[in-house]
Each structure stands twice: as C-alpha cells, then as structure tokens.
Amino acid sequence: MGNTMKKMGISMSMLMGVTMSFVLSLVGTLGGGHFTVPGWIRSFIVSLIISLVLGFIIPMKKLSDSACAKCNVPIHSTKGKLLSALVSDLIYTPLLTVIMVTLAVTGAGRAIDAQISENNALLTETQSSITALTEELNEAAAALETCLPEESGELNAKVGELNGKIGELNGKVQQLNGEIQGMTAAKPHLIPVLIRSLILTLIVGYAVIYIIQPIYLNMLMKKFGLTD
C-alpha cells in the first residue's frame, strides 16, 4: 500500500505540475501584456521544472490534510476541497508567477532595447546624412551667389533638390525620435506587472486546482485500484 501511495503521489505531482505550469505560464504571460510564443514556451518549461521539483519535495496532500484538521473541516467535503485548493494555490502560484513574469518582462525589455538600439543607429546615420547634405547645400548656395546667369538654373535645381532631401531626412529623424520615445515608455516595469499578474494567477490557479485536483485524484485512485 505504501509503495502504491508513493507512486500515486508522484503521478499526481506530475499531472498537477504540467497542468499548473501550462495554465499559469499562459495566464501569467498574457496578463503581463507582453505575450510572445517563445516567451511563453520558455516560461512553461521553467515553471514545469520548478513545479515538479516542488511536487516531489513538498508533501502537498499532507499539508492540505493538516490544514483541514486544524480548521476542523472534513477533507472530502466542499469546504475541505476549497481549503486544500487554497493551500496548493498559495504554495505553487506565487513562486511560479514571479519566475514567469520576470522572464516575460526581462525578455520584452531586451527586445525593446534591441529595437531602440537599431533605431538609434538609424538616427545617427540619418543625422550624418543631414550634415553631409547641409554642407553640400551651403556650397551650392555659395556658388549660386557668384555663378554666371546661365549656371543659376542648374544650381537652383540642385539647391531645391538638397532642401527636399534634407526635409525628408528631418521628417525621418522626427519619426525615429517618436518611435524611440514610444518604445522607451512602453518598456514594462516588473513590480506593477508582477502585482497584476499575481492577482490574476492566484484566482485562476485556485479555480484550476479546485476543479482539476479531484478529477486527477479519482482517476489515479481507479488506476491504482484504490476504489471499490
């Protein structure tokens, strides 16, 4: 019997670990507002490893039964199931959420920083082009003042063309500066995102544990022949 219960406990830990990791990683990354498929996969894998380790190390059922006993609540009653789900939720969810949100926020921050760096490089290149064209424009304007009448038409055309290019590049500079400011403002801050995600995952995690845990338990009891 002892060996059977141990195997059942391991199976339960694996099933709950996969389920909680899948749900919480999805909810956590979506709730953080910076969902990406690679980020979600990374969060799922990390949270799965941690949840399995927690399941093997922490005697979840023993803790739940102890909480029910201290509160004088029958284990298999509705109140007992609600209390057991709360115990599991408070053990699993905060740690997994902190790790998942941190991974999501830092990943999003790195992606934004990379885009900002790319825009800064384009900005520097554009400003260099403006400087070069401005020098060329000044030379053309100076030449226009001393040129022969028959040469003025060509120089005027060149001045107009250079002014047009400089105006276009100045517009690009404004666009790039706007994008950089927007991306800088959009960079996620860990604490607000973490608080928002933690509230959401605690609620969702509690509901999932309350619904799924009895289903897995009944399924495993049948598998290991512990039901009539």
Side-chain angles (χ1 to χ4, degrees):
M1 175 64 73
N3 191 41
T4 299
M5 292 300 294
K6 184 177 180 180
K7 290 181 179 179
M8 182 173 160
I10 292 173
S11 299
M12 188 70 173
S13 295
M14 292 179 66
L15 288 171
M16 288 302 297
V18 172
T19 302
M20 291 298 292
S21 297
F22 179 85
V23 173
L24 293 182
S25 60
L26 188 60
V27 173
T29 50
L30 284 172
H34 299 279
F35 178 83
T36 62
V37 173
W40 170 70
I41 293 174
R42 183 170 61 250
S43 295
F44 172 65
I45 293 173
V46 173
S47 63
L48 177 59
I49 294 171
I50 293 171
S51 62
L52 290 177
V53 170
L54 285 176
F56 285 116
I57 293 176
I58 300 175
M60 203 68 66
K61 180 169 175 50
K62 185 177 179 180
L63 291 175
S64 299
D65 291 351
S66 177
C68 290
K70 289 181 179 179
C71 295
N72 295 318
V73 175
I75 296 173
H76 298 294
S77 67
T78 300
K79 290 183 178 179
K81 292 177 182 178
L82 288 169
L83 183 56
S84 296
L86 179 62
V87 171
S88 298
D89 190 32
L90 293 177
I91 292 174
Y92 272 107
T93 304
L95 178 60
L96 294 180
T97 300
V98 168
I99 292 170
M100 289 182 298
V101 171
T102 300
L103 286 173
V105 169
T106 53
R110 283 196 297 267
I112 291 173
D113 285 338
Q115 188 60 54
I116 289 174
S117 296
E118 183 178 332
N119 275 28
N120 277 325
L122 287 173
L123 183 61
T124 300
E125 181 182 340
T126 303
Q127 289 171 333
S128 296
S129 297
I130 290 174
T131 300
L133 288 173
T134 300
E135 291 177 357
E136 190 175 349
L137 175 62
N138 291 335
E139 291 175 0
L144 185 61
E145 293 178 358
T146 58
C147 71
L148 297 173
E150 59 269 20
E151 296 174 339
S152 62
E154 182 178 347
L155 286 172
N156 276 320
K158 185 175 183 180
V159 167
E161 180 184 353
L162 290 171
N163 276 319
K165 288 181 178 179
I166 291 171
E168 183 180 339
L169 291 175
N170 279 324
K172 186 176 180 181
V173 166
Q174 291 179 353
Q175 178 187 346
L176 289 170
N177 277 323
E179 290 177 358
I180 290 171
Q181 291 175 2
M183 286 185 286
T184 301
K187 284 186 68 174
H189 298 283
L190 180 59
I191 299 303
V193 174
L194 181 58
I195 292 173
R196 184 171 64 248
S197 296
L198 187 57
I199 293 172
L200 182 60
T201 54
L202 280 170
I203 295 171
V204 174
Y206 183 72
V208 170
I209 293 171
Y210 178 73
I211 294 170
I212 297 297
Q213 193 165 247
I215 295 175
Y216 286 161
L217 183 60
N218 291 333
M219 181 182 71
L220 291 173
M221 288 181 71
K222 291 179 181 179
K223 177 181 178 181
F224 289 101
L226 298 177
T227 56
D228 295 333

